[in-house]
Amino acid sequence: MPKLAANLSMLFTEVDFMDRFQAASAAGFDAVEYLFPYAFSAQDIRAQLQKHCLVQALFNAPPGDWAAGERGIACIPGREEEFRAGIATALEYAKILGNTRLHVMAGLMPDNIDQALATETYVSNLRYAAQQVKEAGLTILVEPINDIDMPGYFVNYQEDGAALIDEIDEPNVRLQFDFYHCQMMQGNVLSTFRKLRAYVDHVQIAGVPNRHEPDVGELNYRYLLAELDKDGYAGFVGCEYKPLAGTVDGLHWINKLT
């Protein structure tokens, strides 16, 4: 049985963010993840984690101006100082919250910027981030995101994510393998996962194509997650989907895994 983490940016949105920890625990989750913690005190979040006996699986580094449509700045030349400040902030939160994984969003491909320059900027930034968090025991995660949901995102294919990891060449940079994004972009999710297994440090799931509960759509997660168990994957599986109706009413899919 996989270790499921509730993504609190998408699940339990019926209540305020700080109340979602209790809701996740009451629903049977032992771990949580979410996009960003920075609107809240790290100490207050830690108190919720401790009160409800939850593990913090991961969160994202600051993405630039999210409200204005930015989806990370790692590939954007000229934003290096802002990127470095964001990594410092994320590291301070991680030290308090106890997670060992930090997802760094690549960003949207800048207009009028050569692909080679964007790649050079991204690789340099991720290498810096990895070196900064290494002593604290953190792993930096690269996540390919499909260009249907996020047009213009810098890295879309799982193999491209692995190639970037090779170029960054830091031992604490790994792959965040999202089955939803993989299926939306290229299919062959299990064979792709197995091909890149050595890179993978975190998994996320959602139904395809509408990103609802994992038992809704074209992927058989009962089979897929059982195969991950057979393959020896022992990391977290983040439940990053949009409930069709209420979060709790939709959790019946978990019972189908066994």
Side-chain angles (χ1 to χ4, degrees):
M1 180 70 176
K3 299 188 299 185
L4 300 179
N7 188 296
L8 301 187
S9 295
M10 290 191 175
L11 303 185
F12 305 105
T13 58
E14 299 88 350
V15 297
D16 291 338
F17 179 77
M18 294 298 284
D19 295 324
R20 295 174 197 173
F21 297 87
Q22 179 180 4
S25 178
F29 287 98
D30 297 318
V32 295
E33 62 179 45
Y34 37 76
L35 291 179
F36 312 110
Y38 310 110
F40 304 91
S41 156
Q43 288 80 6
D44 288 346
I45 296 175
R46 182 177 65 180
Q48 290 298 312
L49 292 168
Q50 292 176 339
K51 179 178 181 180
H52 301 293
C53 301
L54 292 167
V55 174
Q56 180 71 53
L58 68 82
F59 57 81
N60 294 355
D65 192 341
W66 184 269
E70 291 188 327
R71 294 297 180 262
I73 59 173
C75 75
I76 303 176
R79 305 283 293 274
E80 288 85 356
E81 289 305 312
E82 181 182 352
F83 177 85
R84 293 184 174 200
I87 294 299
T89 297
L91 177 57
E92 289 306 309
Y93 268 78
K95 287 178 178 178
I96 294 170
L97 300 182
N99 55 297
T100 59
R101 296 167 183 85
L102 180 66
H103 172 218
V104 176
M105 297 189 75
L108 308 180
M109 184 65 189
D111 294 334
N112 304 316
I113 294 294
D114 179 77
Q115 177 77 29
L117 177 58
T119 299
E120 179 184 346
T121 302
Y122 177 80
V123 168
S124 176
N125 277 332
L126 268 287
R127 188 175 292 145
Y128 171 85
Q131 293 169 354
Q132 291 300 302
V133 306
K134 186 181 301 184
E135 185 177 344
L138 266 70
T139 296
I140 297 292
L141 297 177
V142 172
E143 181 187 26
I145 295 178
N146 80 79
D147 63 4
I148 300 167
D149 289 350
M150 201 171 288
Y153 195 73
F154 180 70
V155 53
N156 308 127
Y157 291 94
Q158 303 299 321
E159 292 85 354
D160 292 342
L164 286 164
I165 291 170
D166 285 341
E167 189 170 354
I168 294 162
D169 194 25
E170 291 288 344
N172 61 327
V173 179
R174 303 288 299 282
L175 188 67
Q176 182 168 312
F177 192 103
D178 191 312
F179 277 83
Y180 167 78
H181 290 308
C182 183
Q183 178 69 4
M184 291 291 285
M185 285 301 299
Q186 62 194 99
N188 298 316
V189 292
L190 186 57
S191 61
T192 303
F193 175 86
R194 284 176 169 155
K195 179 172 66 175
L196 302 176
R197 176 67 185 88
Y199 294 87
V200 177
D201 195 61
H202 188 70
V203 166
Q204 291 178 324
I205 60 173
V208 180
N210 296 316
R211 208 170 191 176
H212 295 313
E213 280 81 358
D215 64 337
V216 178
E218 60 198 45
L219 290 179
N220 181 348
Y221 278 111
R222 180 179 183 180
Y223 170 74
L224 290 172
L225 295 180
E227 290 300 300
L228 263 61
D229 280 345
K230 290 180 183 178
D231 288 347
Y233 175 74
F236 290 105
V237 174
C239 303
E240 191 182 45
Y241 64 86
K242 299 176 290 186
L244 270 168
T247 301
V248 174
D249 290 342
L251 291 177
H252 55 77
W253 68 269
I254 297 177
N255 296 327
K256 300 178 182 179
L257 296 179
T258 58

